[in-house]
Amino acid sequence: MTKTAHIYIRFSTLEQREGTSTRRQKDDCLRHIESKGWKLGEVLIDEGRSAFSGDNRTEGAALAIFENEASMGLHHGSILLVERLDRLSQQGLEDTFDLIRHFGRHGVHVATVDGDTFYEAGARLDLVQVITMLVKAETAREESEKKSERLKRRYEIRRNDAETMKRPMSRTCPAWLVVEDGVYNIDKAKAKVVREIWGMADSGMGAHSIARKLNREGVETWGRWGRKAAVWDRARISKILNDPAVIGEYQPHIMRDGKRVKHGEPFKLFPVIVEPELFARVRATAKTRLETKGGGRSAVVVNLVSGLARCSECGGKMEYKRIKPAGSTYVAKSGNVLTHKRDVAALVCRNAANHGKCPNRSQLTYMGFEDALLDSLLPLAMDDKAFLRRDEVAQLNGLIAEKTREAEHAKVRAERLWLAFANDGNGPSAMAQRLAEGAEAEANDCEAAIAELHKQREKAMGKASGEEHLSRIASIRQHLYDEDLEVRAVHRRKVMEAIRSVCERVTCFPSREVRVSLINGTRMISIKPGMGRSPAKISHLDMVHPTREYPGDSLVGQELRRRIKEARVGR
């Protein structure tokens, strides 16, 4: 029976995509398959995945997916073919050997073009194969370590050259620049768009309005490595309006523990395409606007489901659209002029709002939705732990431990004195009795103090009756619209975190119905905000049986089911 061979291709940096690495690996593997008479299966490619750090075996990588499928028996009898063994792993002899054996245990053969090696699944590896594999694995690891050190040194040299001689560190640069003959040149078309964006921001337009204008005018977006968004949106505009590269500044970064972090101070490197005065003016205006508008992203959390709410039609994010700010006036049916106490806002599909193809053009009344969401979810989301005062609990734990030791010593002393009083051969004296009674009273005082400290700790841990819990929830809600923006920000951020801790997704439909799904499918809440003064329609569907256990749940899911059960029977 003809074996099926799956080709695995990997390279470490995205810059290699523009080279010949992929084509060379694929061509070599195809020739090898043809020479062996195997049948070609899948071609698995990991772009920009390092085998030295093990990134090619983390979640989402092609090799990791293939590993999981192999573990389920989906590739039994097939071959995994690579150019060289170090395409699979560069983490040393133990990891490489374990990976080969892992595939072998699940019926997957591993083959390499280099050396024409074939590691047969289920068969005992001979001594030569083992030694050759271990030598290659350890050599690959050592070479990767040396390469890593050389790259760090090269980075330092390039950084110094960039700072002192204004030389490009690499071909990677802001989208409006290109590297030609070792210098930065301005892409005039893209730079013109960037200047227009800053000009519109200077005139008072927000990021959302700028994005809509660019989309209406058909201005193309840009991206890197062949990836670009279909339309302009607020996030892309905000990124440009926050990028100091437009005034020539470059901020070096390095990788630390798998994360990209700032390294050193920024310095002038790029050509200036936006005047520094314009940059400073727009940034200052943005800060002022965020601090004073009451719903500014940096001042308070205006949208409690930001990032959670998705459109049912296209899966895109639902965007917070502010229609009228708090404090603006309107004429009621009675003819009286009234003032909006809160912002008039709506949730809209970002793709539809930016003139995308999504058919969901409905606007969901935000305040009505928020009120209904808090009514139905907040007592559940903000459990006792939400009111935990960690510093106070830690202090009380220390006091309890100290008083417990004092009580133990007082008990021992009282027992010893009473024993001495009872065994006094000359007859019990009044002084001995007073000493014993004093020690016993001291021990009792310590016990009482410990009991009082335990009560204080329970309170600091957020323990409360059902009535007290609802009362403090109501207090939290009052502060969500506090006139003091700092107070408002603290409470809205706390509520937002509580909602995210129990909520899995929020789906918005064209019919203006919102379905809120809690973690592990514990509950589904349907909300249809009312129009004007009409109340919202709320319905709950619980998936929690009062006596059944759910051992397969995550810890968060188990905790949420416990809360739901408590809510049914009262706290």
Side-chain angles (χ1 to χ4, degrees):
M1 182 177 177
T2 304
K3 289 185 172 65
T4 299
H6 306 288
I7 297 174
Y8 176 64
I9 296 169
R10 181 196 62 77
F11 49 83
S12 299
T13 60
L14 291 173
E15 287 88 342
Q16 290 175 278
R17 180 190 294 171
E18 299 177 0
T20 61
S21 180
T22 303
R23 188 169 69 243
R24 186 197 69 249
Q25 292 183 57
K26 185 176 181 181
D27 289 347
D28 289 350
C29 289
L30 288 173
R31 281 195 294 270
H32 195 77
I33 288 174
E34 186 177 356
S35 68
K36 297 294 184 181
W38 297 335
K39 183 174 69 173
L40 176 63
E42 296 179 81
V43 178
L44 313 171
I45 302 177
D46 273 328
E47 299 178 340
R49 297 273 188 174
S50 170
F52 180 58
S53 66
D55 187 39
N56 64 324
R57 296 183 65 187
T58 57
E59 185 178 357
L63 182 61
I65 294 171
F66 187 85
E67 274 191 78
N68 291 333
E69 292 176 350
S71 300
M72 293 185 287
L74 300 180
H75 299 295
H76 194 277
S78 64
I79 302 166
L80 180 63
L81 177 64
V82 291
E83 178 194 36
R84 295 191 311 272
L85 204 57
D86 63 1
R87 294 296 171 188
L88 292 175
S89 176
Q90 295 176 0
Q91 293 188 301
L93 56 92
E94 293 181 353
D95 286 82
T96 304
F97 187 64
D98 288 345
L99 181 59
I100 299 296
R101 294 192 65 189
H102 170 78
F103 281 124
R105 283 195 298 270
H106 294 94
V108 178
H109 314 287
V110 177
T112 65
V113 176
D114 176 44
D116 191 15
T117 309
F118 188 84
Y119 303 99
E120 184 178 355
R124 183 182 178 84
L125 300 178
D126 62 50
L127 185 60
V128 175
Q129 279 186 316
V130 172
I131 293 174
T132 303
M133 179 204 304
L134 298 183
V135 169
K136 287 184 176 181
E138 196 61 18
T139 301
R141 184 188 65 80
E142 290 176 356
E143 289 178 351
S144 294
E145 285 181 346
K146 292 177 182 177
K147 182 180 177 182
S148 177
E149 290 300 320
R150 287 197 302 269
L151 288 174
K152 287 179 182 178
R153 180 58 184 155
R154 284 173 57 191
Y155 172 80
E156 291 297 331
I157 293 172
R158 290 201 311 270
R159 185 187 183 284
N160 291 334
D161 288 348
E163 188 169 1
T164 57
M165 295 180 280
K166 309 307 178 188
R167 289 181 180 175
M169 294 184 63
S170 69
R171 299 189 66 84
T172 303
C173 59
W176 53 87
L177 300 177
V178 291
V179 178
E180 295 175 340
D181 300 326
V183 296
Y184 290 115
N185 289 324
I186 298 174
D187 183 322
K188 293 182 179 179
K190 292 179 180 177
K192 181 183 177 184
V193 175
V194 174
R195 292 190 186 102
E196 288 177 352
I197 289 171
W198 278 88
M200 287 185 279
D202 191 35
S203 68
M205 290 180 66
H208 180 67
S209 300
I210 295 172
R212 294 190 65 177
K213 187 174 187 297
L214 293 177
N215 289 330
R216 283 196 302 269
E217 294 175 354
V219 178
E220 287 191 18
T221 60
W222 52 68
R224 188 176 293 169
W225 317 122
R227 302 171 184 170
K228 68 175 187 176
V231 295
W232 292 95
D233 56 29
R234 181 164 54 190
R236 298 181 72 82
I237 299 299
S238 296
K239 186 175 181 180
I240 292 174
L241 292 175
N242 284 285
D243 193 348
V246 296
I247 56 172
E249 284 189 5
Y250 170 72
Q251 172 63 64
H253 289 77
I254 59 172
M255 295 301 293
R256 184 175 295 155
D257 299 328
K259 296 181 180 179
R260 190 169 180 263
V261 296
K262 292 181 179 180
H263 179 64
E265 296 297 321
F267 55 86
K268 293 289 184 179
L269 176 63
F270 306 122
V272 176
I273 66 167
V274 170
E275 292 298 323
E277 294 81 4
L278 173 60
F279 180 87
R281 188 165 61 249
V282 171
R283 296 306 307 135
T285 304
K287 289 179 182 178
T288 302
R289 184 169 62 252
L290 290 175
E291 289 170 358
T292 58
K293 73 177 184 176
R297 183 171 294 176
S298 296
V300 294
V301 179
V302 293
N303 180 8
L304 295 180
V305 292
S306 177
L308 280 177
R310 297 280 176 170
C311 173
S312 65
E313 303 303 299
C314 67
K317 290 183 179 179
M318 296 297 290
E319 191 171 71
Y320 181 90
K321 179 183 178 183
R322 195 180 188 209
I323 299 170
K324 290 183 180 180
S328 59
T329 58
Y330 66 99
V331 180
K333 290 183 179 179
S334 61
N336 296 328
V337 178
L338 304 177
T339 302
H340 288 291
K341 295 181 180 179
R342 296 191 286 175
D343 288 350
V344 178
L347 290 180
V348 297
C349 173
R350 177 178 292 180
N351 291 335
N354 287 325
H355 301 280
K357 295 182 179 179
C358 179
N360 186 4
R361 307 286 174 179
S362 63
Q363 295 190 3
L364 178 73
T365 304
Y366 178 77
M367 286 305 167
F369 162 69
E370 181 180 291
D371 289 341
L373 178 70
L374 296 178
D375 286 342
S376 56
L377 191 59
L378 199 55
L380 190 64
M382 299 197 76
D383 196 25
D384 291 338
K385 293 178 182 177
F387 299 90
L388 171 66
R389 301 191 293 275
R390 298 184 186 277
D391 292 343
E392 191 174 337
V393 170
Q395 183 181 6
L396 288 167
N397 282 337
L399 291 173
I400 289 172
E402 185 179 334
K403 280 294 180 184
T404 301
R405 286 194 298 272
E406 287 183 18
E408 289 173 354
H409 293 325
K411 285 179 182 177
V412 170
R413 190 164 61 254
E415 288 174 357
R416 188 173 63 248
L417 288 169
W418 278 119
L419 184 63
F421 173 74
N423 295 331
D424 191 347
N426 298 321
S429 67
M431 181 178 290
Q433 183 176 358
R434 284 197 299 273
L435 289 173
E437 288 174 346
E440 184 177 355
E442 183 182 350
N444 291 335
D445 289 344
C446 286
E447 291 290 344
I450 290 170
E452 180 60 31
L453 288 171
H454 274 289
K455 290 180 181 178
Q456 293 178 26
R457 187 176 66 173
E458 280 200 2
K459 191 173 182 180
M461 290 179 68
K463 300 291 184 182
S465 66
E467 185 177 344
E468 290 171 337
H469 184 61
L470 292 177
S471 176
R472 63 190 181 186
I473 289 291
S475 177
I476 285 281
R477 290 190 63 169
Q478 287 179 357
H479 290 303
L480 295 183
Y481 318 106
D482 200 286
E483 292 182 2
D484 187 326
L485 295 187
E486 290 187 8
V487 173
R488 189 191 305 187
V490 169
H491 287 82
R492 291 190 73 84
R493 200 170 290 119
K494 189 172 185 177
V495 169
M496 187 181 193
E497 290 172 1
I499 290 173
R500 287 174 176 273
S501 71
V502 299
C503 188
E504 192 169 70
R505 64 181 178 276
V506 176
T507 309
C508 302
F509 293 82
S511 62
R512 295 187 178 86
E513 178 193 4
V514 184
R515 293 178 188 172
V516 181
S517 304
L518 302 195
I519 290 172
N520 285 32
T522 48
R523 176 180 285 186
M524 173 77 75
I525 304 172
S526 174
I527 299 173
K528 194 158 186 180
M531 301 294 289
R533 294 180 176 273
S534 58
K537 295 179 180 178
I538 307 172
S539 58
H540 297 255
L541 177 61
D542 278 348
M543 287 74 164
V544 179
H545 194 276
T547 59
R548 190 176 301 160
E549 298 297 328
Y550 298 84
D553 271 1
S554 63
L555 292 177
V556 176
Q558 292 176 25
E559 172 67 12
L560 190 54
R561 291 185 191 277
R562 180 191 64 77
R563 294 185 198 178
I564 292 174
K565 288 179 181 179
E566 285 185 355
R568 285 177 175 170
V569 299
R571 293 175 65 84

